[in-house]
Amino acid sequence: VAWETFRNDVLDARSFFDVGIPPLRQNHFGGAFGGAIKKDKLFYFGNVQFVRDVVGRTVRGSVPTAQERTGDLSDIPGLSIHDLNGNVFPGSIIPADQLDTFAKKYMGLGESVMPLPNLPGGWGTINLSFPSALLQTDNFFDVRVDYNWSEKNNFFVRWGYGNSSIIQPSLTAYRNSAP
């Protein structure tokens, strides 16, 4: 016996945050088979199941602005930044020579690591929104063989295999996972 379940975005509505209708392709399919190899003695059974999903969604989050990446945090209301001695940085601006070395190198990678905002607002507000998709690929199968020695003695062997891969959308540069 074979089976398939299919769903797509044709009848879907867009959510409040979506610009358009995100892609949706869900394919779940497989089959099962079995029978006698030797009548009343030796039997087999097997099944397979596959999943191929692309589930679109809008990812929203907060990322630092270009100004904030240089240490100028003056656009964040009510923020008071202090150095290690407790002294306040005037105007909530951290001098370039006091920025963490790792943070400077990380931010220096630019949009290859963290995109710039595409909505108004600074850190702590939802200032980044983009369409993306979750990708899922599953492959599973099972095989079983039964042997009846007598009415009271029997033996079986079963073997199964499964492999699953899921790619989740994120705020990083690797956000466009949809094909």
Side-chain angles (χ1 to χ4, degrees):
V1 65
W3 57 272
E4 179 177 11
T5 302
F6 172 75
R7 182 175 168 214
N8 66 21
D9 52 30
V10 172
L11 298 176
D12 288 355
R14 88 176 168 82
S15 78
F16 180 79
F17 298 111
D18 293 333
V19 175
I21 297 174
L24 175 64
R25 302 288 180 274
Q26 291 182 319
N27 291 288
H28 299 202
F29 54 97
F33 52 91
I37 298 172
K38 186 175 181 183
K39 188 177 179 181
D40 297 330
K41 284 289 185 186
L42 188 59
F43 306 90
Y44 69 95
F45 179 80
N47 65 27
V48 294
Q49 177 175 315
F50 304 100
V51 172
R52 304 291 183 266
D53 287 351
V54 176
V55 182
R57 59 183 60 171
T58 297
V59 177
R60 297 170 44 85
S62 182
V63 293
T65 64
Q67 171 186 322
E68 292 166 349
R69 293 172 195 221
T70 64
D72 184 351
L73 306 176
S74 60
D75 64 336
I76 303 174
L79 184 65
S80 178
I81 306 286
H82 303 265
D83 65 14
L84 295 175
N85 297 321
N87 302 315
V88 176
F89 289 120
S92 293
I93 299 173
I94 304 170
D97 64 335
Q98 293 196 32
L99 290 172
D100 180 73
T101 306
F102 176 78
K104 286 194 282 189
K105 287 181 182 177
Y106 186 77
M107 290 300 171
L109 295 172
E111 290 199 55
S112 66
V113 174
M114 186 174 298
L116 287 167
N118 61 7
L119 298 172
W123 179 259
T125 64
I126 299 297
N127 61 5
L128 179 65
S129 178
F130 57 89
S132 190
L134 174 140
L135 301 178
Q136 181 172 354
T137 302
D138 294 343
N139 302 304
F140 299 105
F141 71 85
D142 292 296
V143 176
R144 178 174 167 151
V145 176
D146 288 82
Y147 181 71
N148 293 330
W149 268 302
S150 66
E151 286 186 25
K152 293 184 179 184
N153 296 312
N154 57 43
F155 173 78
F156 76 90
V157 175
R158 182 178 66 193
W159 186 65
Y161 172 80
N163 182 7
S164 184
S165 169
I166 298 176
I167 299 174
Q168 295 273 1
S170 70
L171 292 177
T172 68
Y174 306 105
R175 64 185 185 230
N176 293 325
S177 57

